């Protein structure tokens, strides 16, 4: 896990690279634009969002009932259900299953829960060879990094950098950056890993209480390969992934891919209803890791509705310009800025402020989580517990006072504009002026104050 650094300091390197920051911003806005086109193509889009939100609200309110129903039905289908209270317990359960089968090599499809629990490092420390089979995940794994986005884990990496990584680890041609060539090289590399894998580990997009079944959505088919070749399948899921009925699933599959990548549906929507045959095993690990505590919060409970589509990240102006790694959290962006402080308020106290409160995240959320309201609520919580530095609390109090009096606000604006013309450039554009460093402050006029005054007087 990355050491905890507050967001402004962690974002500095990314922001100070204007080419990467601009490219990252444009790439994610392109995905957001595709999402908008897909949403506009469905007249019932808002009805689907409202329905999904209602289903999630009902499920979370009756979570204990549906968890018991899911366990009962999954067990009846031949699956083995494990309960993990936290990340360490989850990792111990997975390691125990691997040791029971004397396994040293596993193949794993994308799972943000296992990232949250730090499973890869834990297994590697215990002598297990872990191979992430999602292409983006494999790229960041080879580079020794963590995903910067929950759907597009390598969105921060340029194709030339991918080429350098593959040349170093896979032996591709030096300087090669053609996406098709690199994808073919990755396919050949991963195919060997699939054949050598002894156990497959996947995440879970949705679990159906009514049937005890699991649903995994991918665009590369790696989850299917990773579970059809090995004899043992371990599915790791947070307890909030439940849906009550099979018929509820259609609402969410119509929302998920359109919100995530702007496509009508994922290329593969794989259903797992117990072990595939009598010689196979399916282990389902249900993980709490603070979710029950979050459920008790009336203010933040709706964050458990999240289906991990990443739409809030694709639209967030702060995320697009500062990169996912600046959050130093498994789940970055607006939803991560809500979830992370619930686990460690002191370490993630800056994240609710990595937000302009524009409300775009709430507008695009397919399950209608009021993200910007929750981020504002977190600010109140953090200030109330005095977790912010005194300088920030005082500056925010001054700003609050200023915004309450329009006449004073206008006066300060006029004084600021006047100061830009009167003061020399070095007084307003220097390293001590944080605003200048972090934002695009208008350049001061080329003419002196006396020239400006003479010109306007003549008019």
């Amino acid at each position: 896990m990355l050491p905890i650094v507050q967001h402004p300091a962690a974002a500095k390197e990314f922001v100070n690279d204007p080419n990467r920051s601009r490219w990252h911003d444009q790439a994610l806005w392109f995905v957001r634009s595709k999402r908008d086109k897909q949403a506009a193509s469905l007249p019932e889009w808002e009805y689907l969002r409202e329905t999904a939100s209602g289903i999630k609200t009902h499920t979370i309110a009756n979570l204990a009932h549906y968890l018991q129903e899911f366990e009962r039905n999954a067990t009846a289908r031949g699956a083995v259900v494990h309960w993990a209270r936290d990340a360490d317990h989850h990792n111990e359960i997975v390691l125990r299953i691997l040791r029971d089968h004397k396994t040293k090599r596993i193949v794993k499809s994308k799972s943000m829960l296992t990232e949250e629990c730090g499973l890869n490092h834990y297994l590697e420390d215990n002598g297990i060879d872990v191979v992430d089979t999602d292409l983006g995940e494999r790229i960041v794994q080879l580079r020794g990094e963590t995903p910067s986005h929950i759907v597009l884990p390598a969105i921060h990496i340029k194709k030339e950098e991918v080429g350098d990584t593959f040349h170093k680890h896979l032996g591709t041609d030096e300087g090669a950056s053609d996406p098709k060539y690199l994808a073919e090289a990755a396919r050949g590399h991963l195919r060997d890993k699939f054949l050598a894998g002894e156990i497959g580990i996947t995440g879970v997009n949705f679990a159906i209480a009514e049937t005890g079944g699991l649903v995994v959505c991918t665009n590369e088919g790696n989850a299917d390969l990773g579970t059809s070749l090995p004899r043992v399948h371990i599915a790791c899921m947070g307890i909030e992934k439940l849906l009550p009925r099979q018929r509820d699933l259609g609402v969410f599959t119509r929302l998920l891919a359109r919100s995530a990548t702007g496509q009508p549906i994922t290329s593969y929507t794989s259903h797992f209803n117990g072990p595939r045959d009598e010689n196979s095993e399916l282990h389902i690990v249900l993980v709490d890791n603070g979710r029950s505590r979050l459920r008790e919060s009336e203010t933040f409970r709706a964050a458990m509705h999240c289906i991990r589509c990443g739409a809030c990240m694709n639209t967030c102006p702060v995320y697009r310009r500062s990169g996912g790694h600046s959050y130093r959290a498994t789940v970055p962006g607006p939803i991560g800025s809500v979830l992370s402080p619930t686990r460690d308020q002191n370490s993630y106290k800056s994240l609710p402020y990595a937000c302009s409160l524009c409300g775009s995240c709430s507008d695009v959320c397919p399950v209608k989580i009021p993200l910007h309201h929750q981020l504002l609520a977190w600010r109140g919580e953090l200030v109330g517990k005095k977790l912010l530095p005194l300088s920030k609390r005082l500056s925010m109090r001054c700003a609050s006072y200023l915004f309450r009096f329009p006449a004073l606000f206008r006066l300060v604006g006029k004084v600021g504009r006047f100061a830009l013309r009167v003061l020399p450039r070095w007084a307003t554009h220097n390293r001590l002026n944080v605003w200048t460093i972090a934002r695009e402050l208008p350049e001061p006029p080329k003419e002196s104050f006396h020239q400006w005054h003479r010109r306007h007087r003549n008019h």
Side-chain angles (χ1 to χ4, degrees), residues 404-446:
R404 283 201 298 266
F405 299 96
L408 180 60
F409 180 84
R410 288 193 295 269
L411 176 62
V412 171
K414 290 179 180 178
V415 171
R417 289 194 296 272
F418 183 77
L420 274 176
R421 297 185 178 280
V422 175
L423 295 176
R425 177 182 169 82
W426 59 263
T428 56
H429 287 65
N430 59 70
R431 292 187 177 277
L432 296 178
N433 190 337
V434 179
W435 182 275
T436 307
I437 296 171
R439 297 165 176 84
E440 296 177 2
L441 192 68
E443 287 288 327
K446 302 296 183 184

Side-chain angles (χ1 to χ4, degrees), residues 220-239:
E220 300 172 19
N222 54 308
D224 292 337
L225 268 176
T227 55
S228 59
L229 294 175
R231 191 174 62 84
V232 180
H233 172 194
I234 303 174
C236 306
M237 60 171 278
I239 57 176

Side-chain angles (χ1 to χ4, degrees), residues 327-349 351 378:
Y327 291 78
R328 293 297 193 265
T330 303
V331 179
I335 184 61
S337 298
V338 172
L339 294 173
S340 298
T342 64
R343 298 195 177 97
D344 188 340
Q345 293 182 15
N346 189 53
S347 296
Y348 298 106
K349 60 190 176 187
L351 294 190
W378 259 125

Side-chain angles (χ1 to χ4, degrees), residues 264-368:
I265 194 170
T266 50
S267 300
Y268 300 87
T269 302
S270 307
H271 297 250
F272 300 94
N273 294 289
R276 66 175 183 267
D277 57 47
E278 59 184 16
N279 296 316
S280 303
E281 297 178 26
L282 172 60
H283 294 264
I284 304 171
V285 187
L286 297 169
V287 183
D288 189 312
N289 200 33
R291 288 163 173 78
S292 293
R293 186 170 62 251
L294 177 61
R295 180 176 174 271
E296 294 170 1
S297 169
E298 186 175 345
T299 305
F300 304 113
R301 182 185 303 140
M304 293 184 72
H305 297 183
C306 179
I307 59 174
R308 301 298 192 270
C309 68
C312 61
M313 299 168 205
N314 300 338
T315 197
C316 176
V318 177
Y319 175 89
R320 296 200 322 263
R321 291 167 176 81
S322 63
H325 287 157
S326 64
Y327 291 78
R328 293 297 193 265
T330 303
V331 179
I335 184 61
S337 298
V338 172
L339 294 173
S340 298
T342 64
R343 298 195 177 97
D344 188 340
Q345 293 182 15
N346 189 53
S347 296
Y348 298 106
K349 60 190 176 187
S350 67
L351 294 190
Y353 291 89
C355 172
S356 65
L357 295 180
C358 65
S360 184
C361 51
S362 301
D363 289 341
V364 301
C365 178
V367 287
K368 305 194 77 169

Side-chain angles (χ1 to χ4, degrees), residues 59-322:
T59 307
I60 299 303
N62 299 276
L63 190 57
H65 165 73
Y66 286 120
L67 284 169
Q68 291 173 341
E69 182 181 0
F70 174 78
E71 180 188 33
R72 182 171 62 252
N73 290 327
T75 302
R77 288 179 175 270
V80 180
V81 178
H82 309 262
W83 298 82
R85 59 182 174 273
D86 54 28
D88 291 339
H89 192 199
H90 162 269
N91 294 344
E92 291 167 4
I93 290 171
V94 173
L95 181 61
R96 184 174 70 244
I97 297 171
L98 299 181
R99 285 179 170 170
D100 287 346
H101 292 82
K102 298 180 174 56
T103 297
K104 290 293 184 181
R105 296 187 302 274
I106 66 167
V107 286
K108 185 166 78 69
S109 69
K110 185 160 58 183
S111 165
M112 294 313 298
L113 177 72
T114 60
E115 290 286 342
E116 174 189 324
C117 296
L119 179 65
N120 282 19
H121 293 301
Y122 179 83
L123 295 181
E124 288 166 355
D125 290 343
N126 283 275
I128 307 295
D129 180 31
V130 182
V131 177
D132 279 309
T133 58
D134 174 87
L135 179 55
E137 292 269 359
R138 187 57 176 163
I139 290 170
V140 296
Q141 185 182 35
L142 291 174
R143 292 170 62 88
E145 299 177 1
T146 57
S148 66
H149 190 288
I150 59 177
V151 175
L152 311 165
I155 188 65
H156 62 289
I157 305 171
K158 295 185 176 182
K159 62 182 181 180
E160 292 80 10
E161 295 168 328
V162 174
D164 293 339
T165 301
F166 280 13
H167 172 66
K168 179 180 178 180
H169 295 278
L170 308 187
T172 56
D173 296 340
E174 186 174 4
S177 60
D178 177 61
K180 183 177 180 181
Y181 170 74
L182 296 176
E184 290 290 346
R187 181 179 298 169
H189 162 72
L190 288 172
R191 188 58 58 94
D192 292 338
K193 299 295 183 181
F194 279 122
L195 293 172
E198 298 169 340
I199 285 182
I201 297 180
T202 72
V204 174
N205 289 96
F206 306 105
I208 314 300
E210 180 182 56
T211 65
L214 308 173
V215 180
V216 180
C217 304
T218 68
N219 276 326
E220 300 172 19
N222 54 308
D224 292 337
L225 268 176
T227 55
S228 59
L229 294 175
R231 191 174 62 84
V232 180
H233 172 194
I234 303 174
C236 306
M237 60 171 278
I239 57 176
E240 81 283 6
K241 295 290 187 178
L242 276 178
L243 300 178
R245 303 163 300 182
Q246 180 73 28
R247 75 184 205 183
D248 297 328
L249 179 62
V251 175
F252 290 88
T253 53
R254 296 184 77 192
L255 288 167
L256 177 61
R258 287 181 169 91
S259 298
T261 55
Q263 60 190 108
I265 194 170
T266 50
S267 300
Y268 300 87
T269 302
S270 307
H271 297 250
F272 300 94
N273 294 289
R276 66 175 183 267
D277 57 47
E278 59 184 16
N279 296 316
S280 303
E281 297 178 26
L282 172 60
H283 294 264
I284 304 171
V285 187
L286 297 169
V287 183
D288 189 312
N289 200 33
R291 288 163 173 78
S292 293
R293 186 170 62 251
L294 177 61
R295 180 176 174 271
E296 294 170 1
S297 169
E298 186 175 345
T299 305
F300 304 113
R301 182 185 303 140
M304 293 184 72
H305 297 183
C306 179
I307 59 174
R308 301 298 192 270
C309 68
C312 61
M313 299 168 205
N314 300 338
T315 197
C316 176
V318 177
Y319 175 89
R320 296 200 322 263
R321 291 167 176 81
S322 63

